[in-house]
Amino acid sequence: MGEIIAIASQKGGVGKTTTCVNLGTSFSILEKKTLIIDLDPQGSIAASFQFNNNKLENGVFQVFSENIPIVEAIYSVGLENLDVVPSYVYGEDEEIELFRLALNYNKLKHVLKPLKDYYDYILIDCPPSLGSLTLNALSAADSLLIPIQCEYYSIKALGKFLRTIENVGNKYNESLQFKGFLITMYDRRIKKSSQIEAELRYSFKNMVFETIIPRNSKLSEAPSTGKPVALFDISSIGAISYLQLADEILNYNKN
């Protein structure tokens, strides 16, 4: 049976979508059948694979609003072992409606249940908040991965976010496991980065992934080409780092 991993953070701009796209691609390269679900109404997952609304018929919004089977909202990205479900929210009214519909916190859990027998990994890209859509993801997920930058404001909000996650887990999903903190956009040239990394590892021990995602120009450029970084430049440190992360998760799950 497959594993559902929610990728979430209360702070925007920490690399949730980048991680979802590139970890999913890395799993597929390592021959794990993977589905990426975009719960963020901004729709960045679709853009990352050169989909636009003209090419789409259904997405998360239609699954929630019209109760269509989720299989009708799954699209191949042209890469073996990798599919996506776009958010397909095409206006402000639809975005508001999606958040309202997501107040049924078990909706996504029921929708995804039959897919766990088909996919090895289902990755959920969450909005940068703990609103109804993220609560749906946490209710449906088996585990939670939190991207975090080695910056003061990211660390400052972490304690409150973790307490909230714990409360959500106790209320909606007692079996939710913590997959780990993923350090992103890491710049070894900045002394403060290494200090914060050391503090994270001291405080959270093995809850922090060994793999670190560095600041990398190829990771930044890849979305504008509509490709994950592994298809944009497989030799880049960004692509290699996400392959290492996928391998770390696979090896952890074997133990």
Side-chain angles (χ1 to χ4, degrees), residues 64-198:
F64 274 68
S65 64
E66 300 173 20
N67 291 315
I68 68 164
I70 194 169
V71 292
E72 294 183 17
I74 294 175
Y75 294 82
S76 171
V77 302
L79 187 65
E80 189 175 3
N81 297 320
L82 183 61
D83 298 320
V84 302
V85 176
S87 60
Y88 194 32
V89 175
Y90 42 85
E92 186 176 292
D93 291 343
E94 287 76 18
E95 181 174 341
I96 294 170
E97 178 68 0
L98 180 57
F99 277 102
R100 185 190 70 79
L101 292 166
L103 289 170
N104 174 1
Y105 299 138
N106 287 316
K107 175 72 172 179
L108 189 65
K109 181 177 184 177
H110 294 313
V111 164
L112 294 183
K113 188 175 181 179
L115 296 183
K116 292 184 70 174
D117 290 329
Y118 184 72
Y119 290 99
D120 297 303
Y121 288 97
I122 298 174
L123 307 182
I124 306 174
D125 185 25
C126 299
S129 71
L130 270 175
S132 59
L133 288 168
T134 299
L135 289 177
N136 253 273
L138 296 177
S139 297
D142 299 302
S143 60
L144 170 66
L145 186 157
I146 301 177
I148 183 168
Q149 287 179 263
C150 285
E151 294 181 357
Y152 172 73
Y153 289 112
S154 294
I155 303 300
K156 183 180 178 182
L158 191 56
K160 181 181 178 182
F161 182 62
L162 289 175
R163 287 191 296 273
T164 304
I165 291 293
E166 183 178 4
N167 291 335
V168 169
N170 290 337
K171 190 171 183 179
Y172 299 109
N173 185 359
E174 292 185 349
S175 62
L176 180 67
Q177 301 292 312
F178 184 66
K179 182 66 71 177
F181 294 108
L182 175 66
I183 296 174
T184 62
M185 304 179 198
Y186 187 78
D187 191 338
R188 296 185 183 278
R189 299 170 298 178
I190 300 175
K191 184 178 180 181
K192 192 65 177 176
S193 294
S194 59
Q195 291 174 342
I196 293 176
E197 179 200 353

Side-chain angles (χ1 to χ4, degrees), residues 8-50:
S9 172
Q10 206 165 1
K11 188 175 183 298
V14 296
K16 291 187 300 298
T17 299
T18 298
T19 295
C20 218
V21 167
N22 292 295
L23 177 58
T25 301
S26 297
F27 278 144
S28 72
I29 290 171
L30 296 175
E31 299 184 341
K32 297 298 178 182
K33 195 153 189 64
T34 306
L35 177 67
I36 297 174
I37 296 177
D38 192 356
L39 273 195
D40 190 339
Q42 296 179 71
S44 298
I45 295 292
S48 297
F49 291 101
Q50 285 187 319

